[in-house]
Amino acid sequence: MSCANHLADSLRERGFRMTPQRLAIMHVLYASPKHLSPAQVFDQVRGTVPGVTETTVYRTLEFLSEHGLVRPIHLGSGHPVYEIREHDHHHLVCRDCGGTVEVENSLFKTLYVQLEAATGFQLAGNHLSLFGLCPDCQRE
Amino acid sequence: MSCANHLADSLRERGFRMTPQRLAIMHVLYASPKHLSPAQVFDQVRGTVPGVTETTVYRTLEFLSEHGLVRPIHLGSGHPVYEIREHDHHHLVCRDCGGTVEVENSLFKTLYVQLEAATGFQLAGNHLSLFGLCPDCQRE
DNA sequence: TACTTATTGAGAAAAACTTGCAATAAGGAT
DNA sequence: ATCCTTATTGCAAGTTTTTCTCAATAAGTA
């Protein structure tokens, strides 16, 4: 990961430290095309960082979430999964096959503006999961 | 609850049975102005149905969700809460104070149509939680 | 009243996190 | 290079939440 130095610096500026564990967890999430559960992250990280614990994975994922580096996602299972926070987007989740499709944040802009006007809330662009049937599963 | 008979009939038509446990759980959710966690439902139900178990509460909430009578909601804690499924709506959740505001489903209609056109998904009107800062907490 | 089987209760167990504390090791100061 | 401070981790135990199995119960129908 070429941005490792940049990442480390940005943490240090805020008084935190870069550790092999944090780097490995970021790595795993960067390399994954899909969001991962803490258990899945743990499974992959233990391969490269011997001795790493689940505790550390949980703590690190929360730490990275708090500082905006990863995004926690709730897909309806009741358990959060995580992904690198790059571009803002949302997920459509198929109730049948569980498949997910990403949709751009831009489509939600109008709605957000309306909601903010109506309620006075200042909305953050958090991740949303919308459920339905994907084209394939509709054919059944 | 005057609709108890209607509810019982609608279950029987589908081959299910009405039980004191199911009735009590529906009761609790009807009486509550807010969504409740399984543990909260259990606490209230055990007062009226002696011997009821947490297992039953979990099973019943899932059963009622599957059949469209209650709605599971994910407010970001990672643990679902439940409410009676009356009118469709969504929640704005304040990141600071945790307060919630309901917003009508109608505002989301346009977005849903756009998303369906763009992806081919057939979207169900599931519940959404949008996060942000409520008017009060913005003043700090 | 009897019968079928959906539903529940009980207890154990799995899964998902959390906590406290001592040991480790980043990163800055010397 | 070495020391120091303290952020971070590992370890072990504990808690909470949720699921599972299976026998017992009871709803609804004949």
Side-chain angles (χ1 to χ4, degrees):
Chain A
M1 184 164 43
S2 61
C3 48
N5 289 335
H6 173 265
L7 175 61
D9 287 344
S10 108
L11 287 182
R12 279 184 211 114
E13 279 168 15
R14 297 187 252 180
F16 304 115
R17 297 173 184 174
M18 176 51 82
T19 65
Q21 291 87 346
R22 285 181 179 165
L23 192 57
I25 288 171
M26 289 292 284
H27 242 124
V28 165
L29 290 175
Y30 258 111
S32 169
K34 289 187 71 77
H35 33 256
L36 300 174
S37 68
Q40 290 172 318
V41 172
F42 175 63
D43 276 347
Q44 294 197 36
V45 168
R46 70 194 314 187
T48 60
V49 183
V52 72
T53 60
E54 271 194 289
T55 307
T56 295
V57 171
Y58 277 105
R59 280 194 286 226
T60 302
L61 288 173
E62 190 182 343
F63 172 85
L64 295 172
S65 296
E66 269 174 10
H67 295 90
L69 299 173
V70 308
R71 187 196 340 263
I73 298 179
H74 297 279
L75 290 174
S77 72
H79 304 291
V81 292
Y82 295 85
E83 65 179 22
I84 284 291
R85 183 161 184 171
E86 293 181 301
H87 63 295
D88 275 351
H89 63 266
H90 307 279
H91 283 107
L92 306 191
V93 185
C94 180
R95 277 193 193 288
D96 227 48
C97 67
T100 61
V101 167
E102 285 189 16
V103 293
E104 279 307 316
N105 188 46
S106 55
L107 283 170
F108 289 71
K109 206 66 201 168
T110 311
L111 173 66
Y112 272 57
V113 171
Q114 286 181 350
L115 290 175
E116 289 182 331
T119 64
F121 262 66
Q122 195 173 69
L123 291 175
N126 69 286
H127 175 275
L128 296 177
S129 295
L130 313 197
F131 296 86
L133 284 179
C134 72
D136 285 349
C137 291
Q138 284 172 41
R139 283 193 269 279
E140 288 162 20
Chain B
M1 182 163 44
S2 61
C3 50
N5 288 337
H6 174 265
L7 175 61
D9 288 343
S10 109
L11 287 182
R12 279 183 212 114
E13 278 169 15
R14 296 187 253 181
F16 303 115
R17 297 174 184 174
M18 176 51 83
T19 65
Q21 291 86 348
R22 285 183 180 164
L23 193 56
I25 288 171
M26 289 291 286
H27 242 122
V28 165
L29 290 176
Y30 259 109
S32 170
K34 288 187 72 77
H35 33 256
L36 300 174
S37 68
Q40 290 171 318
V41 172
F42 175 63
D43 276 346
Q44 294 197 38
V45 167
R46 70 194 315 185
T48 61
V49 183
V52 73
T53 59
E54 269 194 291
T55 306
T56 295
V57 171
Y58 276 104
R59 280 193 288 226
T60 302
L61 289 173
E62 191 183 343
F63 172 87
L64 295 172
S65 297
E66 269 175 11
H67 295 91
L69 300 173
V70 308
R71 187 197 337 266
I73 298 179
H74 298 279
L75 291 174
S77 72
H79 301 289
V81 293
Y82 296 84
E83 65 179 21
I84 285 291
R85 183 160 183 171
E86 293 180 302
H87 63 295
D88 275 353
H89 63 266
H90 307 281
H91 282 106
L92 306 192
V93 184
C94 180
R95 278 193 193 288
D96 227 48
C97 67
T100 61
V101 166
E102 285 189 14
V103 293
E104 278 307 315
N105 187 47
S106 56
L107 283 170
F108 290 70
K109 207 66 201 166
T110 311
L111 173 66
Y112 272 57
V113 171
Q114 285 181 351
L115 289 175
E116 290 181 332
T119 64
F121 261 66
Q122 195 172 67
L123 291 175
N126 70 286
H127 174 273
L128 296 177
S129 295
L130 312 197
F131 296 86
L133 283 179
C134 73
D136 285 349
C137 291
Q138 284 173 40
R139 284 194 267 281
E140 289 162 19

